[in-house]
Amino acid sequence: PELPTIGVNELAGDVGGYRKLFNTLTEMCPVPIYTEDINNGAKGYYSDADRKIVIKSDMSQLQTIKTMIHEMAHEKLHAKEKLDKDHPVDRRTKEVEAESIAYTICQHYGLDSSDYSFSYVAGWSSGKEVKELKASLERIRSAADEMITGIDKALDKQTKREQSRNVRDEAR
């Protein structure tokens, strides 16, 4: 039988609680997040110069959430003021780190991005030494942990606001 092709396919599918998660990520992100038509093949980008994240419009809910988290990871680790000048990282390392963080966070929330993330990381890490990849592991683990903690707190806050609103509505 024919071997499957290895490539990055766009994720498909809906996300339970999509609007709540989308709003939570937007609220907690330290830079504004915009959706726009992007025609160069990218799903999104973080602009350090403009201090903003842009996500391609008209993607599936799963691809949108995964891309938001990926770009937020770039802002968290790769913004100019956050880079370690003594240990610079190249673009390939930045992409591996951001996608690995996005995959980890998506998995935490029960969102399977493996069809996209595995190929993406394999493509960007091709030719890298194991030593280089291991150097990123602690950065990936630490950033994913911090982001999950932040997302959990923001989701909890949003849930409490919704409950408070429901109580007020019921009292009317």
Side-chain angles (χ1 to χ4, degrees):
E2 190 177 326
L3 291 174
T5 59
I6 297 178
V8 179
N9 296 319
E10 187 164 317
L11 295 168
D14 291 340
V15 172
Y18 171 76
R19 184 53 48 199
K20 184 176 184 177
L21 185 54
F22 181 94
N23 291 340
T24 296
L25 293 173
T26 301
E27 284 176 23
M28 67 172 283
C29 188
V31 298
I33 299 177
Y34 302 97
T35 55
E36 296 177 5
D37 288 334
I38 300 175
N39 299 317
N40 66 1
K43 307 287 183 226
Y45 61 89
Y46 164 64
S47 171
D48 206 24
D50 297 330
R51 301 283 302 144
K52 71 177 183 177
I53 290 172
V54 177
I55 305 300
K56 182 180 177 185
S57 55
D58 297 328
M59 294 190 298
S60 72
Q61 290 179 357
L62 181 55
Q63 185 70 55
T64 297
I65 294 297
K66 199 280 315 161
T67 302
M68 289 174 79
I69 296 168
H70 174 106
E71 299 307 334
M72 289 171 70
H74 275 306
E75 188 281 331
K76 180 169 192 57
L77 291 182
H78 308 133
K80 282 181 188 151
E81 71 274 4
K82 296 174 184 174
L83 289 175
D84 182 351
K85 301 200 184 353
D86 297 328
H87 300 94
V89 292
D90 62 12
R91 175 149 187 235
R92 292 172 58 206
T93 300
K94 290 176 182 178
E95 292 302 328
V96 168
E97 288 178 349
E99 191 63 23
S100 297
I101 290 165
Y103 171 78
T104 300
I105 293 171
C106 283
Q107 283 298 117
H108 177 80
Y109 291 105
L111 305 174
D112 184 9
S113 70
S114 57
D115 285 348
Y116 186 92
S117 296
F118 291 171
S119 297
Y120 191 94
V121 170
W124 282 101
S125 63
S126 177
K128 288 269 191 197
E129 297 292 323
V130 172
K131 180 182 161 194
E132 292 175 278
L133 296 171
K134 283 184 177 179
S136 290
L137 287 177
E138 179 54 27
R139 290 169 48 86
I140 291 165
R141 189 212 58 77
S142 178
D145 182 57
E146 288 174 22
M147 289 177 72
I148 287 168
T149 299
I151 293 167
D152 283 347
K153 285 180 183 174
L155 283 169
D156 189 48
K157 203 161 126 181
Q158 196 171 80
T159 298
K160 287 178 180 170
R161 277 196 312 255
E162 288 170 3
Q163 289 170 342
S164 196
R165 245 182 274 137
N166 290 342
V167 168
R168 282 195 310 270
D169 290 346
E170 288 174 12
R172 290 184 186 163

